[in-house]
Amino acid sequence: KTDGKGSTENSSKLDLTFIGGAMTIKSFLGIPYKTLFPTTTISQVSDILKELKENGVDVSNVILKGFTENGIDSNKLAGGFELDGKLGNKKELNALQKLCSENKTDFYLDFNTITFNESANGFKSYFDAAIRANRKPAKDYSFDIAVLGRKTENAVSILARDRFSDMGKELLDTAEKLELSGVGISNLSNMVYSDYSNKESTKYYAKEGFAKQTVEIMENMAKNKKMLLTEDANAFAAAKADAVIGSPTVSSKAFVFDEDIPLYQMVFRGRTSVSSESVNLVSNSKTQLLRAVESGCGLSYTLIADYDTVLLDSAAPVFYNSLYRDIKNSVINDYKLLSDYYERIENSKIEAHNILESGIRETKFANGVTVYVNYTDSEIISPAGNVPANSFLVGE
């Protein structure tokens, strides 16, 4: 309410993120070289959407990620603000957007607008990188869960804060050139950082002004009739977005918390289209599905059309269990399992959430629908009746 976020007619049932490609190493006459392996082309996205439609599946949001130059591993800011020719062209992109429009599916092309290691489009990897307080370049690292440490070999530079406005203009120009209906700003929406490049000013110290800069870029996009997609978004970005994918349904499990509640969805559901983390990429897909039910957010999947074992070396954690033909039936069955539930709660806001004495979780929606979720291995009685183990029950 503080940000003027009113009600929305859109509510997510099923969001699909397609990964375009990844850089892999091949050999020619014993000489290794890097090349893009296309995991999904634009035309393959169209084919998958048509097949799902034939099976009665209505997709709410389609997101293309890693479809710019060099795919998801691009070293250039926003992948050079260009489609990679191996993954498709503007004609195929327009055809896909037309298909999405006919199916009443919102379409987004996602751009990595923060991290880069190679100069392009006027953004220089050294001179346009943010600086830490110790005067060293700020880096973004991926982390290895197995050893609880960061992977220094995958470190990338972070865009200097005083170049945000220029990046926003370049992004809008690209969106206009490609005739995009929707633009994804996934990592811009879920990062906040400082920049100590300017010794004469504290303008960007201690993360100052990050929200204001991000909101200005988003508002300029909206003014030019571009829909905006965010991922696991900070509140200031989610409040300006048309859709949020990967919204958190579980905390870090730090010892300060007794219970997890769907606070994020309690704030944004009914105001913004919200979906969960990708069901196929978590350790327990059944639990993730129940979390989506409890929080009233849509299901989300990350998909690829082709796979090769060379992807095992990719730093991007998106290629496990994401091959479409392997999980197609799961996508269809999960959608059909929850489609009636999503129809009943529509785009209603969450009115209340309770954890009952029995351990059942109760979510009440503004339109009078209540859902009871049982995460235990035993059947439990709820005010609406018996809730089977690891299942849910919907009541009025």
Side-chain angles (χ1 to χ4, degrees):
K1 291 180 179 178
T2 303
D3 282 294
K5 187 71 171 177
S7 298
T8 178
E9 295 181 0
N10 297 328
S11 60
S12 173
K13 295 180 182 179
L14 176 66
D15 293 351
L16 300 180
T17 298
F18 293 92
I19 308 299
M23 295 302 290
T24 58
I25 298 177
K26 289 190 175 183
S27 177
F28 178 73
L29 297 178
I31 302 173
Y33 66 96
K34 285 189 174 182
T35 185
L36 179 72
F37 176 79
T39 51
T40 321
T41 64
I42 293 175
S43 61
Q44 285 176 322
V45 174
S46 295
D47 292 339
I48 290 173
L49 293 180
K50 290 174 183 176
E51 183 175 10
L52 289 174
K53 186 68 175 179
E54 290 171 358
N55 282 275
V57 175
D58 293 320
V59 181
S60 302
N61 296 296
V62 164
I63 304 97
L64 303 192
K65 183 178 288 191
F67 278 77
T68 51
E69 186 178 331
N70 291 344
I72 203 165
D73 297 319
S74 179
N75 284 326
K76 296 179 181 180
L77 191 70
F81 298 91
E82 293 282 351
L83 285 175
D84 194 294
K86 285 187 176 181
L87 305 176
N89 53 43
K90 184 180 176 182
K91 182 179 179 181
E92 292 170 327
L93 185 68
N94 289 341
L96 174 58
Q97 290 192 91
K98 182 181 178 182
L99 174 65
C100 288
S101 178
E102 292 171 351
N103 292 342
K104 297 182 179 179
T105 299
D106 290 332
F107 171 87
Y108 300 93
L109 179 62
D110 188 70
F111 294 86
N112 174 2
T113 57
I114 294 295
T115 60
F116 63 118
N117 262 345
E118 188 177 330
S119 299
N121 299 79
F123 296 93
K124 299 177 177 61
S125 61
Y126 182 80
F127 296 103
D128 293 325
I131 300 296
R132 295 189 296 175
N134 62 2
R135 310 307 305 164
K136 293 184 178 181
K139 296 287 185 178
D140 185 44
Y141 300 89
S142 58
F143 284 78
D144 190 333
I145 297 176
V147 298
L148 298 180
R150 61 188 185 183
K151 299 178 180 179
T152 56
E153 70 274 13
N154 295 323
V156 288
S157 296
I158 306 173
L159 182 65
R161 296 275 303 277
D162 61 4
R163 295 303 310 273
F164 268 35
S165 178
D166 296 323
M167 176 273 290
K169 291 176 182 176
E170 185 79 16
L171 186 63
L172 179 58
D173 288 344
T174 301
E176 296 284 12
K177 182 175 67 175
L178 294 176
E179 301 178 45
L180 297 177
S181 57
V183 176
I185 52 168
S186 55
N187 62 348
L188 175 63
S189 69
N190 57 39
M191 292 181 73
V192 180
Y193 60 89
S194 310
D195 187 357
Y196 297 88
S197 303
N198 191 341
K199 296 180 182 179
E200 311 301 323
S201 171
T202 62
K203 188 175 181 180
Y204 303 127
Y205 289 15
K207 305 179 182 178
E208 182 68 27
F210 194 99
K212 183 174 182 293
Q213 287 183 292
T214 302
V215 167
E216 285 176 351
I217 291 172
M218 297 180 74
E219 288 180 339
N220 193 37
M221 283 283 183
K223 187 172 68 176
N224 285 275
K225 295 181 172 55
K226 304 299 178 187
M227 296 184 68
L228 283 161
L229 174 103
T230 57
E231 182 174 4
D232 190 19
N234 295 314
F236 58 81
K240 298 295 180 180
D242 295 286
V244 181
I245 62 172
S247 68
T249 55
V250 64
S251 74
S252 62
K253 295 296 183 182
F255 291 127
V256 294
F257 299 118
D258 293 320
E259 299 284 356
D260 285 347
I261 64 169
L263 177 63
Y264 195 96
Q265 292 77 19
M266 291 168 73
V267 173
F268 288 110
R269 191 179 203 286
R271 301 180 186 277
T272 301
S273 175
V274 181
S275 63
S276 69
E277 299 101 327
S278 291
V279 174
N280 58 307
L281 298 184
V282 299
S283 58
N284 191 321
S285 58
K286 179 66 175 179
T287 299
Q288 184 59 52
L289 187 144
L290 291 178
R291 286 176 182 152
V293 171
E294 179 189 2
S295 59
C297 61
L299 294 177
S300 179
Y301 289 86
T302 297
L303 303 174
I304 59 175
D306 292 307
Y307 180 81
D308 192 284
T309 53
V310 295
L311 295 172
L312 291 171
D313 296 324
S314 175
V318 293
F319 298 115
Y320 167 76
N321 195 37
S322 55
L323 187 60
Y324 170 70
R325 61 177 174 267
D326 286 349
I327 63 172
K328 177 182 71 173
N329 290 337
S330 295
V331 175
I332 295 172
N333 292 337
D334 288 347
Y335 172 83
K336 291 183 176 180
L337 174 66
L338 298 187
S339 59
D340 180 64
Y341 167 64
Y342 287 132
E343 289 290 339
R344 292 175 71 175
I345 61 176
E346 298 177 311
N347 63 336
S348 297
K349 296 179 177 68
I350 295 177
E351 197 170 68
H353 178 273
N354 299 290
I355 302 175
L356 307 183
E357 288 184 8
S358 61
I360 286 283
R361 287 169 171 259
E362 174 189 70
T363 305
K364 296 182 178 181
F365 295 90
N367 67 350
V369 175
T370 301
V371 64
Y372 298 92
V373 179
N374 178 9
Y375 289 99
T376 74
D377 294 327
S378 303
E379 183 176 88
I380 298 178
I381 299 175
S382 77
N386 292 350
V387 186
N390 293 300
S391 188
F392 65 95
L393 181 66
V394 183
E396 297 293 336

